[in-house]
Amino acid sequence: MSQVDILSKLDTAYKAITTSDITTGLLKPQKAERFIRVVEDSTPLLSAARRITMTAPTREIDRIQFGGRILAATGETDSVTSEQKVNIPMNKLDAQELTGFVGLTDRTLEDNIEKGNFENTLIDLLGGQIGLDLEHLYLSGDKSESDSLLKVTDGWLIKAANKVTGADAPEAGKFDKTKIE
């Protein structure tokens, strides 16, 4: 058997193992809930943001808004002449798969000082860091970036059409970059 044949068989065997074959590496529902709670609570921004559990890769969310000003100054004899209509646009959420890798050996799980509580500690640590990563993505995401995480989507700053101009900003003299947490 040639090296090409061996590599082909290994590649086929490797691809034959799917997520559904691996049950011990997946978070159990109660641990997944804890993980999501830790991610949400890891930053003030994520805890204030709305989270929607999606059961499909896409979801449409109805919005309702007025297209302009409703109030107008009128006198006793004046009447309101302009009626505002309601707009009902649609937001479409497209789920993006993000992955992370943390190497953990069986020996680490067996020989750690926390014993059975190590899994909770690991979930807390992972959730905290992933929360920070997601906050950075949600704020600073930019599809034109070369960074593999930030290029996933345009973040809130881009969607809000804000520009950070640094020293050229009108209030630049009032900003103290040493006081950033």
Side-chain angles (χ1 to χ4, degrees):
M1 187 177 284
S2 72
Q3 285 184 333
V4 172
D5 293 335
I6 293 171
L7 289 174
S8 176
K9 287 185 183 274
L10 284 172
D11 190 44
T12 303
Y14 180 71
K15 288 180 182 175
I17 300 172
T18 64
T19 305
S20 60
D21 297 327
I22 305 171
T23 57
T24 58
L26 300 177
L27 283 177
K28 304 285 186 264
Q30 58 272 33
K31 294 290 183 179
E33 289 173 17
R34 176 190 172 104
F35 175 75
I36 291 168
R37 188 175 62 251
V38 170
V39 169
E40 285 180 333
D41 294 343
S42 64
T43 70
L45 188 62
L46 290 182
S47 61
R50 178 178 169 198
R51 181 182 64 82
I52 297 174
T53 302
M54 295 175 58
T55 56
T58 61
R59 181 173 178 164
E60 292 183 346
I61 301 171
D62 294 331
R63 294 182 12 218
I64 188 165
Q65 64 190 32
F66 285 100
R69 182 176 293 153
I70 297 172
L71 297 176
T74 57
E76 205 170 296
T77 60
D78 296 333
S79 62
V80 178
T81 58
S82 62
E83 176 186 359
Q84 285 297 324
K85 301 231 183 259
V86 173
N87 295 329
I88 305 175
M90 187 77 65
N91 278 1
K92 183 177 179 187
L93 297 180
D94 288 312
Q96 300 293 322
E97 184 173 346
L98 301 173
T99 58
F101 178 76
V102 176
L104 191 62
T105 64
D106 288 337
R107 184 176 177 140
T108 302
L109 288 173
E110 294 166 359
D111 297 341
N112 72 78
I113 195 167
E114 295 186 52
K115 301 295 179 203
N117 204 25
F118 182 69
E119 186 177 354
N120 289 332
T121 299
L122 190 60
I123 287 173
D124 291 346
L125 290 171
L126 285 170
Q129 184 57 53
I130 288 171
L132 293 173
D133 292 349
L134 288 174
E135 181 180 66
H136 189 61
L137 170 64
Y138 296 158
L139 282 171
S140 305
D142 185 346
K143 290 181 179 178
S144 65
E145 278 282 330
S146 61
D147 182 284
S148 65
L149 178 62
L150 295 181
K151 71 180 181 181
V152 168
T153 189
D154 285 333
W156 294 330
L157 293 176
I158 286 180
K159 289 180 179 183
N162 287 335
K163 282 186 159 182
V164 177
T165 56
D168 298 339
E171 302 290 318
K174 297 179 182 178
F175 178 72
D176 185 359
K177 64 182 179 185
T178 61
K179 294 184 179 178
I180 296 175
E181 294 182 17

